[in-house]
Amino acid sequence: MLMSNASSIRCLITAGPTREFIDPVRYISNPSTGKMGFSIAEAALEAGWNVDLVAGPVALEEPKGAILYPVITAEEMLHQVDALFDACDVLIMTAAVSDFRPAIQHTHKEKKGEALMNIEFEHTTDILKTMSERKAHQTVVGFAAETENVVTYANEKLASKNLDFIVANEVGRAGSGFAADTNEVLLIAADGSSIKLGPATKSAIAEELIQLVTPTR
Ligand code: CTP
């Protein structure tokens, strides 16, 4: 089996949260800081890969050498990933994409009162699943952020989203998941094999992850 020439590998990475607006001054989102995705982008660059980084609103320095595509909403992330997917060899979706958005986005600030007491939501598109359904040569890697039954839910997502790998990540406790500098994850492959990464810094985990998901041709 021959390893791909590192410089020819094009990697598409998503990172950070999305924001789904209720009106111009209010939105729903989540605590993702984008650190894991940006660390993976750094590690991929370090490995000599070309990196497209689609990032929701984050306060992180742009990895030098990556092409950064800033987005805000899940819909914008979907369109950007859709535009870049066919040219990539590896898709790594670390983004904490909002699963819901308000069914109505008001164009003017809603005044406090009855109007905002009940908000109807609709589902956003599952970006990872949509890309996976049309994958050709791509290696597709998803993240499963879970607070309980981490491995069971991650395995379900690996199968239902037709992924090559899923990173099972427990969130909601100190030293792991959202906003932390460190993490501890389980990388599960489609053949059922798995490997624990960490506890370690997100950078160290990212380096190992990039080695493990390197496409072979
Ligand atoms: N994801 C995506 N598009 C969405 C929601 C999630 O591409 N609209 C991706 C995430 O980037 C992640 C994977 O799907 O790589 C799993 O996301 P997660 O939020 O853990 O799971 P969901 O599929 O949203 O399911 P649930 O919220 O029920 O756990």
Side-chain angles (χ1 to χ4, degrees), residues 62-125:
E62 184 173 339
K64 210 162 167 271
I67 305 177
L68 182 68
Y69 299 87
V71 297
I72 297 176
T73 66
E75 193 67 10
E76 287 171 12
M77 185 171 282
L78 169 68
H79 290 307
Q80 194 57 74
V81 170
D82 182 61
L84 296 166
F85 181 70
D86 290 338
C88 84
D89 301 300
V90 183
L91 167 65
I92 306 179
M93 284 278 319
T94 76
V97 185
S98 178
D99 290 319
F100 310 101
R101 69 172 149 250
I104 296 169
Q105 283 116 51
H106 299 278
T107 49
H108 300 287
K109 181 185 170 190
E110 287 290 287
K111 301 308 287 178
K112 70 181 167 206
E114 64 286 345
L116 287 174
M117 292 300 111
N118 292 294
I119 299 172
E120 199 179 317
F121 289 99
E122 62 184 16
H123 283 282
T124 58
T125 304

Side-chain angles (χ1 to χ4, degrees), residues 139-177:
T139 298
V140 178
V141 185
F143 267 66
E146 310 288 353
T147 56
E148 57 190 351
N149 304 327
V150 183
V151 176
T152 306
Y153 288 145
N155 272 312
E156 282 173 14
K157 285 173 191 173
L158 179 73
S160 69
K161 301 191 193 209
N162 187 28
L163 308 176
D164 297 293
F165 296 96
I166 192 143
V167 180
N169 195 176
E170 186 173 342
V171 292
R173 65 184 169 83
S176 177

